[in-house]
Amino acid sequence: MTLTTEPTTPAPAVTKRRPARNRNVGRTLRRLPGHALVGLLLLVVAYPLIWLFLGSFKTQDEFLNKPTTSLPESFTNFANYTQAWSSVATYLQNSLLTVLPSLALIIVLGTAAGFALEVLVWKGRQTTLMLFLAGIMIPGQMILLPLFTVYFQLHLTGTLWPLIITYTATGLPLTVFMMATYFRAIPKTVFEAATMDGASVIRSFWSIGFPMMRNSVLTIALVQFFFLWNDLLIALTFTTDDAQRTVQVGLLNFTGQFGVVEYGPTFAAICINVLLILAIYIFLNQRVMRGLAAGAVKG
Amino acid sequence: MPAAPAAGIRTKGRIQRMHSVLGDRKSVAILLGPALLVYSLVMLLPMLWSLGYTFFTGSVISGFTWAGTANFSKLLDDPALPGALWFTVKYAVVITVGQVLVGYLLSLLYVFFLRRAGSIVRTLVFFPVILPTVAVALLFQKFFEFAPQTGPVNAAIEAFGGTGIDWFSTPGNAFFVVALMDIWRSMGFYAVLLYAGLLDIPDEVMEAASIDGASTWRLIRSIIVPLSLPVLVSSLVFSINGTLKAFDSIYALTGGGPGSATTPLTLYMYQTSFAYGDYGYGSTIALTLTALCLLVTVFIFRGTRRDTGLG
């Protein structure tokens, strides 16, 4: 990548040693390559997305006959969006209907299991934790075929249940493992005190453990949300017809839907998905970042 | 719980009571039971079941017939397997190194250049991480398009006097675009992850070294890299775990092509099972993939134990 020249830029360490009076000018000059680098970085990150957004307003003719970097002729041409929305709306609905229930189940079951594995004292909890840990490693391909067989024979194919069930199960290992790690950080005396005051285990989980984990729960919920929302393999395997397609599967089939690639609607469909995530990100970005900074993924 | 009155000393009684409550089997069953049940039924059981499939041929539609060890001898003779295996390894190594390296360079940029003011940059660079893979793949497909529309990359090449490249028609170029895309969409994640690790390095250590006259490069090499090694290792483990199983980005971007040049085991398994309806051989490939993941995990855990001096 273009960023390999980067280690030479940390200039502040150098400036720090110079108690010069006119440091401002020198400082600005010395920081110039760094600024250029940051500018380039932002360009690399943002340009494809901006190009996508511009493209979503272009007509087929503009795509084929105008330079690709040109601006669209009209920013009020929403024909692409209306055409894309007619099918994307269903895909979004399916995604929400599968991801949200799975997410709720993952969080509740996973946190409870993490609590039982870390706070409670019983024989075999280490082994059970390792058992869950093994699930992080198992590739999805290893469970697809038997699950397909079962869902097929239970006549669940053609509904969203296979996705909800499979998502819940695949989300559990990481959640259980991370929750156990987070519970480990809470001093045991907290729960011991609750117990001495006569709280039952279930109560000290719901009233003390779970609320104390609020931030961790949100972190994990966000991480899992994007995992599930991004999933293609499971959704592709268990959705047999258009009515059950999630956003990812739908989007993939979108290009082929018109025979010849219709650029405008395709760009608009991609753009709808990007804008949706952007909307979530605008409100939650600090939490996403803070969550990750707090050590979301401890390998 | 009846344990408390038995002990003569009050505190001892309380501790016993506490242990008996925190060790209550019914509570363990209520809290752990549902998760363990779902996990066992939907992941562990199918895994064993999948092992059973390796001795059969056929699918749920066509029915299964006993095949003995035919799938395993097929695996050894399969001319497509070495290619898929090699691509899986190549992809995992290149992407893992790329993601973590670019992420690390970015995190250094965040810490030393942007400092705490870089929140906006961090937020922006992180954004592609959470974008749907398929959306990003389709975007890159169009971004690198050759015809009928000339994408920005080819337009830029042509603007500088070169001739446009049909990126997805040769294995090398297709792999390049896949790699570029996967690094593009994940660098922000590793940057933030490693940034958090770098922030944990005490300022005094850096100041002391800097006062002692250490150059920036020396500071990075002798203090920052060793001190951020644990979080670097975590990132590598996390990354390789994901890249070995990568499916979405490749399936959506190249579909495994041209030919089968960018087909990893994950995709090969999928094609075998669902395009050719051979669950038995598909399971055998899945088993190969699992064995590979297991091998890499064991290898990494051995390695990291030694590196961090924990073992």
Side-chain angles (χ1 to χ4, degrees), chain A residues 4-297:
Chain A
T4 38
T5 51
E6 192 270 329
T8 50
T9 48
V14 186
T15 33
K16 206 177 263 177
R17 281 183 279 134
R18 294 193 179 183
R21 294 278 171 269
N22 281 339
R23 61 193 295 194
N24 269 347
V25 179
R27 196 182 141 90
T28 312
L29 276 177
R30 215 171 287 121
R31 284 174 70 87
L32 207 61
H35 283 297
L37 200 69
V38 172
L40 186 70
L41 173 69
L42 294 183
L43 190 73
V44 165
V45 171
Y47 183 67
L49 297 170
I50 294 169
W51 177 75
L52 170 76
F53 182 69
L54 294 177
S56 68
F57 291 101
K58 290 183 183 173
T59 61
Q60 184 79 352
D61 180 58
E62 284 179 83
F63 268 106
L64 297 178
N65 299 322
K66 287 263 179 87
T68 186
T69 46
S70 64
L71 293 175
E73 276 163 10
S74 151
F75 274 104
T76 48
N77 170 24
F78 287 105
N80 291 333
Y81 280 94
T82 42
Q83 196 180 337
W85 184 253
S86 61
S87 41
V88 171
T90 321
Y91 303 151
L92 283 175
Q93 195 191 344
N94 287 334
S95 274
L96 286 173
L97 284 177
T98 50
V99 169
L100 295 183
S102 316
L103 206 56
L105 283 170
I106 288 174
I107 292 302
V108 174
L109 300 188
T111 313
F115 184 86
L117 286 169
E118 194 50 49
V119 178
L120 299 187
V121 189
W122 49 285
K123 235 186 188 172
R125 57 184 189 145
Q126 214 53 42
T127 320
T128 316
L129 188 64
M130 291 310 283
L131 197 69
F132 273 109
L133 200 57
I136 299 178
M137 202 203 62
I138 300 172
Q141 275 79 358
M142 200 64 192
I143 59 166
L144 283 186
L145 299 174
L147 286 179
F148 190 85
T149 307
V150 171
Y151 294 144
F152 185 80
Q153 274 159 3
L154 292 176
H155 302 290
L156 287 176
T157 37
T159 69
L160 295 174
W161 284 107
L163 293 186
I164 298 175
I165 296 167
T166 318
Y167 283 163
T168 306
T170 50
L172 278 176
L174 186 66
T175 311
V176 169
F177 179 66
M178 277 161 74
M179 282 329 281
T181 314
Y182 287 132
F183 275 121
R184 198 171 300 154
I186 295 184
K188 278 268 173 16
T189 45
V190 171
F191 299 108
E192 287 170 0
T195 314
M196 278 195 225
D197 289 344
S200 72
V201 174
I202 310 292
R203 193 179 148 82
S204 71
F205 167 67
W206 262 120
S207 311
I208 302 166
F210 202 76
M212 277 181 94
M213 287 285 116
R214 213 181 301 133
N215 273 326
S216 315
V217 162
L218 195 67
T219 305
I220 294 173
L222 280 170
V223 170
Q224 294 289 359
F225 172 81
F226 293 120
F227 276 160
L228 299 186
W229 191 264
N230 271 355
D231 164 74
L232 178 68
L233 180 67
I234 292 167
L236 199 63
T237 308
F238 297 132
T239 50
T240 39
D241 58 69
D242 196 52
Q244 279 89 47
R245 278 179 185 157
T246 61
V247 167
Q248 308 303 319
V249 184
L251 207 57
L252 204 58
N253 285 286
F254 200 87
T255 329
Q257 199 171 307
F258 303 98
V260 185
V261 181
E262 279 203 56
Y263 287 98
T266 308
F267 272 55
I270 304 172
C271 218
I272 290 171
N273 291 287
V274 171
L275 290 176
L276 193 92
I277 297 289
L278 181 67
I280 300 172
Y281 191 56
I282 283 171
F283 290 107
L284 287 171
N285 67 71
Q286 287 312 313
R287 301 217 82 149
V288 178
M289 316 279 286
R290 216 183 306 146
L292 280 160
V297 187

Side-chain angles (χ1 to χ4, degrees), chain B residues 141-156:
Chain B
Q141 224 173 48
K142 304 286 175 277
F143 206 71
F144 282 81
E145 186 160 335
F146 179 61
Q149 183 236 183
T150 307
V153 172
N154 280 327

Side-chain angles (χ1 to χ4, degrees), chain B residues 56-292:
Chain B
F56 287 88
T57 183
S59 75
V60 64
I61 321 263
S62 66
F64 293 97
T65 43
W66 176 258
T69 55
N71 282 323
F72 292 96
S73 31
K74 190 177 171 187
L75 190 76
L76 295 175
D77 294 333
D78 188 351
L81 191 85
L85 193 63
W86 168 239
F87 184 79
T88 303
V89 172
K90 185 171 82 166
Y91 177 87
V93 170
V94 170
I95 307 294
T96 296
V97 170
Q99 283 175 339
V100 177
L101 187 70
V102 174
Y104 196 51
L105 295 178
L106 286 180
S107 71
L108 290 172
L109 183 78
Y110 293 171
V111 172
F112 293 104
F113 185 74
L114 294 167
R115 306 252 167 137
R116 268 146 234 267
S119 163
I120 294 254
V121 176
R122 287 201 299 278
T123 309
L124 272 169
V125 177
F126 191 87
F127 181 54
V129 174
I130 55 170
L131 285 178
T133 324
V134 176
V136 174
L138 292 181
L139 170 61
F140 268 68
Q141 224 173 48
K142 304 286 175 277
F143 206 71
F144 282 81
E145 186 160 335
F146 179 61
Q149 183 236 183
T150 307
V153 172
N154 280 327
I157 292 174
E158 281 165 16
F160 285 104
T163 39
I165 300 167
D166 191 353
W167 291 95
F168 300 103
S169 70
T170 66
N173 286 344
F175 180 68
F176 177 76
V177 179
V178 172
L180 207 63
M181 179 185 99
D182 270 328
I183 292 170
W184 182 82
R185 62 182 198 92
S186 58
M187 61 185 183
F189 173 81
Y190 291 97
V192 166
L193 204 65
L194 291 161
Y195 172 74
L198 288 178
L199 284 186
D200 286 344
I201 298 176
D203 281 345
E204 303 88 73
V205 177
M206 308 250 246
E207 262 165 46
S210 155
I211 288 165
D212 287 348
S215 68
T216 309
W217 175 239
R218 168 110 195 155
L219 199 69
I220 290 175
R221 215 190 44 187
S222 307
I223 293 174
I224 296 160
V225 172
L227 283 180
S228 53
L229 202 60
V231 68
L232 262 177
V233 170
S234 302
S235 303
L236 283 173
V237 171
F238 187 77
S239 177
I240 196 115
N241 185 49
T243 49
L244 277 176
K245 298 183 221 160
F247 174 83
D248 306 15
S249 51
I250 299 167
Y251 184 86
L253 186 67
T254 69
S260 61
T262 56
T263 305
L265 285 174
T266 50
L267 186 53
Y268 186 44
M269 178 272 169
Y270 189 83
Q271 289 165 344
T272 308
S273 309
F274 296 108
Y276 305 116
D278 190 348
Y279 283 23
Y281 192 51
S283 292
T284 316
I285 301 169
L287 181 63
T288 313
L289 177 68
T290 309
L292 183 69

Side-chain angles (χ1 to χ4, degrees), chain B residues 287-309:
Chain B
L287 181 63
T288 313
L289 177 68
T290 309
L292 183 69
C293 291
L294 190 72
L295 207 72
V296 170
T297 310
V298 168
F299 182 75
I300 286 175
F301 270 100
R302 285 240 175 120
T304 51
R305 284 250 169 96
R306 209 179 307 128
D307 282 350
T308 50

